[in-house]
Amino acid sequence: MDVVLIGAGRYGNGLVGRKYKEKEFNANLVGVVDPKIDELKLSDTYKLGDTPTYSSIKDVPDEVVQQTITEIALIPQLIPALFNDLAQRGSKKIILPKPVTPDQNAYQQMLSVLKQKGMQAVVASNWYYSQITTLTKNLLSKLQGQPVPNPELVEQYREEFDSIDKTFKIQKVEVEYNKQNEVLTIDPPAQELPHALQIVYSTGLTDFVGSTMTATPDSQTESRVSVNLSEVKGIEGGIAINSDLQMGDRLDKRRERLVKVYLDDDDNEPDVIVDYDAQFTPDGACKKLPEIRCDIKKDGKRTEWRLPVVEDNLNVMYKRMLDYFENDSTDALTLEGYSPVAENISKAQTLWSQVVKKFNK
């Protein structure tokens, strides 16, 4: 399979571009498109070697557009128009970045074009594909006395799962998903919140059906806004998401990527903490693994364990996306399948914009 990559910024060049060139993905990088490509190629950090380059998608021959997978690594505002342009030129296979677009009208138009043109499009939302997300869904099912959806995965962690011998209700959930010192290039709801919404959806914490979303300003700073989901089926206290919704050009905070689940056990502490913060060195080596931490107290008994998860979720994600194109497999996050998360990103964008306008009066 051949891929043309549109966008040679931090993600396109330093992450996926490097992996394409080092043959970590089952695909060949045959073109890179970026308006600043001549400048980028002079940088010591350029990792795309001698791959053919173009300063505009218009410079890419039609036959290349039509016969390759096109991966887009651009900010959301640019995606709907580019997607439509690629569709008109005969592109059939596209990898889209999350959150695709926070504009729900534009998203629905993309879905319409997709169907009209008989295209395939998948969304590169890594926590949908990750083993730690699937494990968390299994664990939450086990805790609530429900059938485990992926028993074959649980076999690897039988000791930990067998230590849970009681049934609980989920009281509330808190999600912290923040980068540190991140310069905003897009509105905050499209920056880190898509990760958090994907996690609560893919872990089965909510399907968003019937839930109500609100945006709450921090009473201390009036610059930080959290997104809250109430009336969540099976979770009395709802889901509070603190994700990079601070206004301003630079977010300066502690890096956290935690999901805290509170059960109706014998204390008021989070009983399951899922740490999604995997960290890698510039050359791709993992220096911090994500992990699940369980600490439950019930009827005088304490169940406590830590479970590191070893995986490169980018490699997992790309294998499944590329398999989808090659084998027409359904085991990928399609543009249609992303709809529930996309709709709630749009809601968060609207709520956040209202809060911003209020503060700016």
Side-chain angles (χ1 to χ4, degrees):
M1 288 179 288
D2 294 335
V3 176
V4 171
L5 178 63
I6 304 179
R10 184 189 67 85
Y11 183 78
N13 174 47
L15 290 177
V16 296
R18 174 184 61 79
K19 284 177 172 286
Y20 278 120
K21 290 299 293 180
E22 294 177 4
K23 303 300 181 183
E24 291 191 40
F25 302 154
N26 184 29
N28 302 308
L29 191 63
V30 298
V32 180
V33 182
D34 195 292
K36 297 181 179 180
I37 194 63
D38 291 336
E39 175 185 339
L40 293 170
K41 287 165 67 174
L42 299 175
S43 170
D44 292 338
T45 60
Y46 186 71
K47 300 181 183 299
L48 304 179
D50 58 356
T51 305
T53 58
Y54 309 88
S55 59
S56 169
I57 189 63
K58 295 177 181 178
D59 299 331
V60 182
D62 283 345
E63 60 270 21
V64 175
V65 171
Q66 293 163 10
Q67 296 172 15
T68 63
I69 297 168
T70 303
E71 174 162 9
I72 302 175
L74 300 175
I75 59 175
Q77 296 94 313
L78 303 177
I79 291 173
L82 176 59
F83 182 88
N84 189 63
D85 182 47
L86 289 169
Q88 301 310 316
R89 294 186 61 191
S91 177
K92 293 297 182 183
K93 300 176 180 180
I94 298 180
I95 297 175
L96 294 160
K98 59 188 176 302
V100 185
T101 170
D103 182 335
Q104 192 59 202
N105 290 334
Y107 186 87
Q108 293 300 322
Q109 179 61 31
M110 289 172 64
L111 281 177
S112 178
V113 170
L114 183 89
K115 294 174 183 176
Q116 290 173 11
K117 298 292 185 178
M119 301 164 65
Q120 294 175 301
V122 295
V123 180
S125 185
N126 53 324
W127 297 126
Y128 170 88
Y129 300 91
S130 174
Q131 186 182 57
I132 193 170
T133 306
T134 307
L135 269 174
T136 302
K137 184 173 185 176
N138 281 296
L139 175 59
L140 295 176
S141 297
K142 170 80 171 177
L143 287 165
Q144 296 174 89
Q146 301 168 357
V148 174
N150 301 90
E152 70 285 350
L153 180 60
V154 172
E155 285 300 322
Q156 303 175 50
Y157 310 101
R158 177 56 60 192
E159 181 179 350
E160 289 84 0
F161 275 71
D162 282 351
S163 69
I164 298 167
D165 57 5
K166 298 185 184 298
T167 299
F168 302 88
K169 291 182 179 179
I170 298 177
Q171 296 292 87
K172 65 178 181 179
V173 176
E174 297 171 349
V175 181
E176 302 281 347
Y177 205 102
N178 302 306
K179 287 183 180 177
Q180 188 175 24
N181 297 331
E182 180 73 6
V183 177
L184 287 178
T185 56
I186 54 179
D187 284 348
Q191 188 97 356
E192 297 304 316
L193 184 64
H195 289 284
L197 290 174
Q198 186 70 62
I199 286 169
V200 298
Y201 183 72
S202 291
T203 54
L205 283 166
T206 180
D207 58 7
F208 300 119
V209 177
S211 64
T212 300
M213 179 182 286
T214 56
T216 307
D218 187 300
S219 59
Q220 300 297 317
T221 66
E222 288 196 343
S223 64
R224 182 171 169 80
V225 183
S226 62
V227 166
N228 302 284
L229 294 170
S230 58
E231 301 176 72
V232 179
K233 185 169 52 182
I235 304 178
E236 182 180 343
I239 302 174
I241 300 175
N242 296 312
S243 190
D244 286 344
L245 301 183
Q246 181 176 338
M247 288 165 280
D249 292 331
R250 180 172 285 276
L251 304 175
D252 189 6
K253 58 175 67 68
R254 182 180 175 185
R255 177 182 169 118
E256 288 183 307
R257 296 179 176 182
L258 301 175
V259 176
K260 303 175 186 178
V261 180
Y262 295 77
L263 305 174
D264 61 338
D265 62 348
D266 295 339
D267 61 25
N268 295 316
E269 300 298 317
D271 303 290
V272 175
I273 298 177
V274 188
D275 186 350
Y276 282 84
D277 189 15
Q279 295 183 23
F280 297 87
T281 62
D283 63 356
C286 183
K287 62 179 182 178
K288 180 181 181 300
L289 289 170
E291 68 173 5
I292 301 174
R293 303 194 287 269
C294 185
D295 188 356
I296 304 170
K297 299 173 185 177
K298 188 71 172 178
D299 300 333
K301 177 185 176 183
R302 184 177 186 183
T303 301
E304 182 181 16
W305 45 261
R306 300 170 76 103
L307 190 65
V309 177
V310 181
E311 70 170 348
D312 184 326
N313 63 48
L314 270 182
N315 283 13
V316 172
M317 176 173 71
Y318 274 83
K319 181 181 186 308
R320 285 170 60 179
M321 291 193 301
L322 294 169
D323 281 351
Y324 170 77
F325 292 127
E326 186 172 37
N327 303 316
D328 201 23
S329 121
T330 57
D331 191 24
L333 181 57
T334 63
L335 185 62
E336 300 96 318
Y338 192 64
S339 293
V341 174
E343 181 179 350
N344 281 275
I345 292 169
S346 179
K347 288 180 181 178
Q349 174 73 29
T350 300
L351 289 168
W352 180 83
S353 299
Q354 291 169 350
V355 172
V356 171
K357 290 176 182 177
K358 176 183 174 181
F359 286 156
N360 288 340
K361 284 184 179 179

